[in-house]
Amino acid sequence: MSPEALAAGDPLLARAIAEVGPPDQRFTRPKGFTGLLRMIVEQQLSTRVAEVLWAKLEARVPDIHPAAFLALDDETLRACGFSRQKQVYGRALAEAVTAGALDFDRLETLDDDAAAAELVRLKGIGRWTAEIYLMGALGRADVFPADDLALQIGVQQLAGWETRPKPKQLLERAEAWRPHRSLAAEIIWRHYETKRRKGPASK
């Protein structure tokens, strides 16, 4: 389904596209260990900062795989922007893949809920990270990461709500977009990011 077709049946999405246009490309992320490790890096950071830190890691380890990551010492990881906590999370992920506790091929065969449950068993992988992986890396069509701050603020702005919605309220609103909630999220992200870059004058 196209963004315009989905928006045609919903005034909130229609407003988003009318104001900033549809997403110019689909949201994607690499699969496997590299993709999930990058999402750990991105946790609680702006996109720009995360890109800079990831580039530092790639400069030191051009081929990022579990064994190569586990070989990095604390000092090197700190230089790449890994806090103590993210060092623990990254190593836990690398060890799980190495030990076979996380099988990315098997993950692709699971439905959305089962795949998310498999991922959140890992240290440092919460619901948000799991859902972003399902959307971006596995291309799942009906995922809506309601814990995402940009989606919460974006829906608040588009709907004209006085307060930012809680995840439960956001999921209730997103029911109207099934089975294309991933696309709806991309439309809202596009609106939020465009308005944020333009600043207060665009509100």
Side-chain angles (χ1 to χ4, degrees), residues 74-87:
D74 292 355
E75 183 178 351
T76 300
L77 288 175
R78 279 196 300 271
C80 296
F82 279 78
S83 64
R84 173 65 64 179
Q85 189 176 53
K86 289 187 179 182
Q87 290 177 36

Side-chain angles (χ1 to χ4, degrees), residues 35-93:
L36 200 50
L37 180 65
R38 182 160 184 169
M39 290 175 195
I40 290 174
V41 172
E42 292 174 347
Q43 290 172 354
Q44 300 179 328
L45 295 177
S46 70
T47 300
R48 183 175 180 82
V49 170
E51 287 175 350
V52 170
L53 296 179
W54 186 256
K56 289 183 178 181
L57 181 62
E58 286 186 316
R60 288 168 170 79
V61 189
D63 181 18
I64 302 174
H65 55 84
F69 185 82
L70 288 171
L72 300 175
D73 58 25
D74 292 355
E75 183 178 351
T76 300
L77 288 175
R78 279 196 300 271
C80 296
F82 279 78
S83 64
R84 173 65 64 179
Q85 189 176 53
K86 289 187 179 182
Q87 290 177 36
V88 171
Y89 295 165
R91 286 174 175 143
L93 171 62

